[in-house]
Amino acid sequence: MINVDKIREDFPILKRTVHGKPLVYFDNAATSQTPQIVIDAIVDYYSNYNANIHRGVHTLSQEATDKYEEARIKIQHHFNAKNAYEIILTSGTTHSINMVASGFSSLLNKDDEIIVSALEHHSNIVPWQMLCEKTGSILRVIPMLEDGSLNMEVYHNLVNKNTKLVFCNHVSNALGTVNPIEEIIEKAHQFGAAVLIDGAQATPHIKPDVQALNVDFYVASAHKLCGPTGVGLLYGKEEWLQKLPPYQGGGEMIATVSFEKTTYADLPHKFEAGTPNICGGIAFGVAIDYMNAVGFNNIAKYENELLEYGTKELLKIEGLKIYGTTTEKTAVISFNVGAIHPYDIGSILDKLGVAVRTGHHCAQPIMDFYKIPGTIRASFSFYNTKEEIDILISGVKRAIMMLS
């Protein structure tokens, strides 16, 4: 079970005030907060062994290299990748997706088809549109249903012998919908298509097993997992990572260089050109240790309690509408109240110390589907409380009174 009072002590930012009010942080889908142990790991790196990795025989370089590669192994074990070299450390989910898109630009032909879902973040739409423009491939879309789930019947009819790639988020950042990725992966593989799953929103709530999923690529960001910004991962099956060309040229990703010919390094370094975010990678490993100590089963159970409580209490407010009502969802509630613009409610909530996200959440096709400009999104984490949800409810009611 989760001892939320004890956990909250681990997060120094939760002690601050905003506009004279205690901070209520409900913007976890954008970025999670950072526990002291992760902050300490960053300070320790810069205080005690700041050095470039993989290239030095001196003590600091060796210490930094060891810590960085230990973090890669932690990430490998967390996602249950078969090999540590199948974990490519990147600057985040968007970087990871673009690496795959860039690699496939040399593998696709005109009239090949790629499939994305209607629930995607812009970072899992735009790179594929750019890829289609470059290769002449055709983009197909899995439509969504009114409850925020995917129309899987249409998906099964979309996949065919021309399908080369399928991309889908594990969890919708805008609605919290948990997509049936096992079914998506299995169907795509029947036609020999590769599958990339965007796990940015899933990994704070779900511990994915990439081998059990049999997924070809899985991407995520540390800053959603109580880690630092500017670091993330690309998991790729070894066979696919060997097929893809390097994403960038430079130091680290080479085996030999001459003006006549350059040969590339083995995995994972083939995709890790230049000096990486060393302390970020190390801190990512520490954040994963922290969340595993809390326990993902405990996290899921507690956050579901928050989701159920928040949903029930918000729906008591007259005129309030929740978008994304499928039963398979994580701790995200996107809502509007009547014709009031979400930005206006969000601004008043901020004055009361409540941090929510307003707008289209980098998911404009979803907003177009519902014919709305955006939503107010309250996203919960395991360090939030029902008492904080009560403050949110009170704030929404106050905003309605002020704006009506």
Side-chain angles (χ1 to χ4, degrees):
M1 291 295 294
I2 282 196
N3 183 339
V4 69
D5 292 332
K6 182 174 183 297
I7 284 172
R8 287 178 66 85
E9 290 297 315
D10 296 335
F11 292 83
I13 201 170
L14 298 181
K15 297 180 176 66
R16 73 159 289 178
T17 59
V18 174
H19 300 300
K21 306 288 186 181
L23 171 65
V24 175
Y25 186 78
F26 285 156
D27 196 20
N28 295 286
T31 197
S32 64
Q33 292 302 338
T34 313
Q36 188 65 52
I37 192 171
V38 175
I39 298 169
D40 290 344
I42 295 169
V43 173
D44 182 46
Y45 168 77
Y46 282 114
S47 300
N48 295 306
Y49 60 100
N50 177 20
N52 215 326
I53 57 174
H54 298 143
R55 304 170 190 168
V57 297
H58 63 83
T59 298
L60 267 61
S61 177
Q62 291 178 359
E63 289 178 358
T65 298
D66 289 345
K67 290 279 192 179
Y68 191 76
E69 292 304 326
E70 285 170 11
R72 192 192 306 274
I73 292 169
K74 288 178 182 179
I75 296 164
Q76 173 206 352
H77 291 162
H78 179 79
F79 288 89
N80 194 31
K82 185 177 180 181
N83 304 294
Y85 55 75
E86 293 176 312
I87 300 296
I88 311 300
L89 290 168
T90 69
S91 68
T93 300
T94 299
H95 182 199
S96 300
I97 291 169
N98 276 276
M99 288 176 72
V100 178
S102 174
F104 268 92
S105 66
S106 63
L107 301 179
L108 293 182
N109 299 306
K110 187 176 184 297
D111 297 330
D112 283 342
E113 297 182 8
I114 61 181
I115 296 174
V116 300
S117 91
L119 296 179
E120 299 310 304
H121 188 281
H122 295 166
S123 64
N124 208 20
I125 298 174
V126 179
W128 311 121
Q129 291 175 326
M130 295 168 68
L131 180 61
C132 287
E133 290 173 1
K134 186 182 294 184
T135 63
S137 301
I138 301 166
L139 187 69
R140 307 291 190 192
V141 181
I142 312 167
M144 62 182 287
L145 301 172
E146 187 66 29
D147 66 355
S149 64
L150 291 175
N151 188 327
M152 292 302 291
E153 183 179 347
V154 172
Y155 169 67
H156 281 275
N157 291 326
L158 278 179
V159 187
N160 63 78
K161 61 182 176 60
N162 295 321
T163 305
K164 304 302 178 187
L165 297 160
V166 177
F167 309 103
C168 182
N169 53 32
H170 195 162
V171 169
S172 164
N173 74 298
L175 304 177
T177 304
V178 180
N179 289 315
I181 62 169
E182 294 89 346
E183 183 181 348
I184 288 168
I185 294 165
E186 182 181 3
K187 182 68 177 182
H189 284 172
Q190 289 175 12
F191 289 86
V195 182
L196 181 147
I197 298 297
D198 174 356
Q201 292 298 324
T203 48
H205 316 287
I206 300 166
K207 188 172 181 176
D209 183 331
V210 294
Q211 289 192 77
L213 288 170
N214 194 26
V215 67
D216 303 292
F217 302 98
Y218 196 98
V219 298
S221 295
H223 72 96
K224 313 281 192 185
L225 278 158
C226 295
T229 57
V231 66
L233 74 109
L234 162 63
Y235 159 77
K237 284 182 179 176
E238 179 180 5
E239 61 189 90
W240 277 110
L241 293 178
Q242 296 290 7
K243 289 179 186 177
L244 299 185
Y247 178 60
Q248 292 177 310
E252 192 69 23
M253 52 74 66
I254 54 88
T256 62
V257 174
S258 71
F259 286 110
E260 289 70 38
K261 183 176 177 59
T262 292
T263 59
Y264 303 132
D266 293 333
L267 298 173
H269 307 299
K270 171 184 171 184
F271 293 101
E272 294 182 353
T275 299
N277 182 352
I278 300 168
C279 79
I282 293 167
F284 190 3
V286 174
I288 281 178
D289 284 343
Y290 177 83
M291 293 196 70
N292 278 313
V294 176
F296 278 81
N297 288 336
N298 294 331
I299 288 170
K301 182 178 180 182
Y302 179 69
E303 289 178 345
N304 192 58
E305 289 178 11
L306 294 178
L307 175 63
E308 290 181 352
Y309 180 78
T311 301
K312 176 172 64 74
E313 294 303 313
L314 280 167
L315 286 175
K316 292 178 181 178
I317 298 174
E318 185 177 354
L320 188 144
K321 177 180 174 61
I322 291 176
Y323 300 90
T325 55
T326 178
T327 56
E328 296 298 320
K329 63 181 292 187
T330 56
V332 171
I333 305 177
S334 282
F335 64 95
N336 282 327
V337 181
I340 302 174
H341 198 283
Y343 177 85
D344 294 334
I345 292 180
S347 297
I348 292 172
L349 288 173
D350 175 64
K351 298 299 183 185
L352 301 173
V354 181
V356 294
R357 182 70 47 164
T358 61
H360 54 63
H361 317 301
C362 290
Q364 286 184 339
I366 293 176
M367 305 306 145
D368 291 344
F369 175 84
Y370 288 120
K371 296 180 174 59
I372 54 176
T375 67
I376 304 143
R377 184 184 69 188
S379 49
F380 310 133
S381 186
F382 58 92
Y383 44 69
N384 290 129
T385 67
K386 291 180 180 177
E387 289 75 20
E388 289 182 313
I389 293 175
D390 291 339
I391 295 171
L392 168 69
I393 304 291
S394 176
V396 171
K397 291 178 178 177
R398 182 171 173 180
I400 293 168
M401 288 179 60
M402 293 174 65
L403 296 167
S404 297

